Amino acid sequence: MESLLVPLLILAFVGAGVLIGARVLGRRRARPRADTAPRPARDPLELARTAAAKLSQDQHRRLYALIAQGQAMAAIKLYFEATGDGLRASRDAVGALAAHPQPFRPEAPEEEPAEDDDDAPQRFAYRYRAIASKGDVTREVSSNMLNDEIYGRIRTLARSGDTEAAAEALTRHSDISIKQAREFIALLED
């Protein structure tokens, strides 16, 4: 009997240790830790808008190309490198962008109060084509700083005989040289 007493005592100590360990682990799991408290879920649409605003136009285009090709890991890596957000935040942002595609919206600079200067060039979202021809000679000016109103003023200046002012206005509202503008205006003089 004495030979069984030592193994039974060892078995009792091991059993008691296991029970105490299980109770301690159970208490730790039941108590929520402050650093692992669940975060409130963010609206994925709002997350997508915020994420898209952090990207440049080229980054935005490349990110959506990767999403379209099914290369989620490459898209997450691109977003991570572009924004400096953490990996988990980058993963969530790319997931939101894939679920809720966002168009690229450039940051609008704060505009100063506009003065009534009609001659100041302004960029439009479209390209305007102006064509002038006389006989066999045809010239074309294409610019996103022209529109019907501005081109009408240039044509009026040319037809009234103020060709130099018309040429200067055309160079201000397009990317052509003064020489090319004079050639174009010469075709409008009739």
Side-chain angles (χ1 to χ4, degrees), residues 154-163 166 185 187-190:
I154 292 171
R155 240 188 4 245
T156 303
L157 285 171
R159 290 184 177 153
S160 68
D162 197 357
T163 58
I185 296 300
L187 299 175
L188 294 177
E189 288 179 335
D190 288 335

Side-chain angles (χ1 to χ4, degrees), residues 129-150:
R129 290 178 56 197
I131 301 172
S133 64
K134 187 185 282 183
D136 292 339
V137 180
T138 302
R139 298 281 184 260
E140 177 180 335
V141 175
S142 178
S143 175
N144 61 344
M145 293 181 282
L146 277 174
N147 63 15
D148 284 331
E149 182 183 342
I150 296 168

Side-chain angles (χ1 to χ4, degrees), residues 118-128 142-148 150-151 154 169-176:
D118 291 337
D119 290 336
Q122 172 186 353
R123 295 209 178 264
F124 301 102
Y126 56 88
R127 299 223 18 115
Y128 184 87
S142 178
S143 175
N144 61 344
M145 293 181 282
L146 277 174
N147 63 15
D148 284 331
I150 296 168
Y151 183 61
I154 292 171
L170 187 58
T171 57
R172 219 178 11 258
H173 293 284
S174 64
D175 297 326
I176 63 173

